[in-house]
Amino acid sequence: MSNTMEVDPRRLRPSGYTVAASIISIGGLINGYDTGSIGAVTTMPYFETTFGVLSPTIRGFTVSLIMLMGAVPSFFSGQLADRFGHLRIVMVGALVFVLGVILEGSASQLSMFLVGRALAGIGEGLWLTNVSVYITEISPAARRGALVSLPQFMATMGICIGYFTCYGSIHIDSSIAWRLPFIIMGVLAVIFAGSCFYLPESPRWLQINGRRDEALRVVERLGISSAEAEKDIFAPSIDNARPKAAMTLSDFSLVFNKQYRMRTSLGLFILGMIQLCGIDGVLYYAPTLFNQAGLPSGTASFLASGLSAILMLAISIPAALYADNWGRRTSVITGGIGLSACMFVIGGLYAADNVHANAGAGRWFVIVLIFCFALLYVSTWGIVGKIYASEVQPAKTRAAANSLAQGLNFFSNWLVAFATPIFLAHSSYGTYFLFGGLSLFTVVVLAMFMPETRGQSLESIQDAFHAPHWARQLRSIGSSLG
């Protein structure tokens, strides 16, 4: 009887592709840690002693500079990955980031701090695009959604850890109070860079570059079944033709050729527009939003940096685990409707003068809706956007198209983070109506042009884009109704 109940220990081990996806997702953790810590760092007393009190404009520029600079390498990191492999570019990005945080953490002048922040952004721009593409290319179709959502889940965890690191370090009676988060990020980035020596290169990249024998060994190491590999990795396809060893600026236009244009446009649109819903305004400036709603600053800081981070992390767990249990279209459409509704209702409450500092239920509606907005984003758009932008691209243009989309994503992040305090200073309700309108516009466009991809192999996804436009539309509508 006991023999029949024995469990093979090998079945309890996570698959190779799960381990690889988890390790490479450290990049998301570092990105989230910076998001969760930089706002608090710039208001710490010892930071202000070192650099002086920053004006709102300078503070916004300092906080958002990492995203602006991240957009620059994102536009060409895909081409570098096509030539050298995803992991080499990730490692270089991690090392550039290490140099950046060393300058930030040791800075005695604001100019030195900003140079470090710019270098950190360049490093993030190099790795973030390739992290998503790498996970997409090593993941079986049935697990791709959950695995590609890991960097987003780790980013949410990083935000939470960053908040509470600053909550503890602010009590240190020296400049280490604000320097400690950068020391921690530097250590994480060194570990991240070192992991690239352990991880196997994408078998799809190896196959496309004529290294089939090595690709077969990697498939075995990752634990991908032979049937899955033959169907999804080694199957011949015109879209899987070997990319050029090096791409010129004119070659870069390949992603906008007629046969790839729709897929590239979808990737650019979804990764650009999901940020223009205003999520970075909420993440970076939640204390300001809560103060505007009428809460005292101490309560606002607690709600923004503590409770919101814990709730976002908690909801990210089931969202990541069940990412493949509901359709991409369902998640985008229902999530977008909810996000736009939150923004419109908040804007309406302010426009109707129903939000008052010391009385009335309006302020509590605003607070609850801000939390609902953040949680809804984390569980829908925050996960689906990067999954979809990566998986709809054919192997030939996946790295290039995804790097363009990630660059636009960085730029949208920067635009929202930089402009939100300016918008709020001019209008208490216009900002919410703007973000709500952009969210609703995104829903309408994606509902019209976004084919369903859940559970399909990367190569079979491409069939949806080879079909006539009217057939794609009918197929997408049918997927939504089904």
Side-chain angles (χ1 to χ4, degrees), residues 327-404:
R328 312 285 194 249
R329 283 174 55 83
T330 301
S331 184
V332 163
I333 293 171
T334 57
I337 291 172
L339 293 172
S340 57
C342 289
M343 290 285 113
F344 284 139
V345 173
I346 294 174
L349 289 170
Y350 276 111
D353 196 27
N354 287 327
V355 183
H356 304 286
N358 299 314
R363 60 175 177 164
W364 297 111
F365 275 111
V366 169
I367 292 165
V368 170
L369 287 170
I370 289 173
F371 274 100
C372 288
F373 177 88
L375 297 178
L376 192 57
Y377 178 89
V378 167
S379 59
T380 57
W381 282 19
I383 289 178
V384 172
K386 291 186 178 180
I387 297 174
Y388 196 81
S390 294
E391 67 186 1
V392 297
Q393 309 300 336
K396 188 174 183 179
T397 63
R398 183 172 297 128
N402 211 56
S403 67
L404 278 174

Side-chain angles (χ1 to χ4, degrees), residues 410-454:
F410 264 109
F411 183 78
S412 299
N413 279 340
W414 170 79
L415 188 62
V416 171
F418 184 72
T420 294
I422 300 173
F423 289 159
L424 289 173
H426 284 81
S427 172
S428 59
Y429 59 85
T431 307
Y432 297 103
F433 283 140
L434 174 63
F435 290 144
L438 290 170
S439 300
L440 188 58
F441 171 72
T442 303
V443 170
V444 172
V445 172
L446 292 178
M448 292 175 61
F449 298 106
M450 178 182 178
E452 182 57 68
T453 59
R454 178 177 67 96

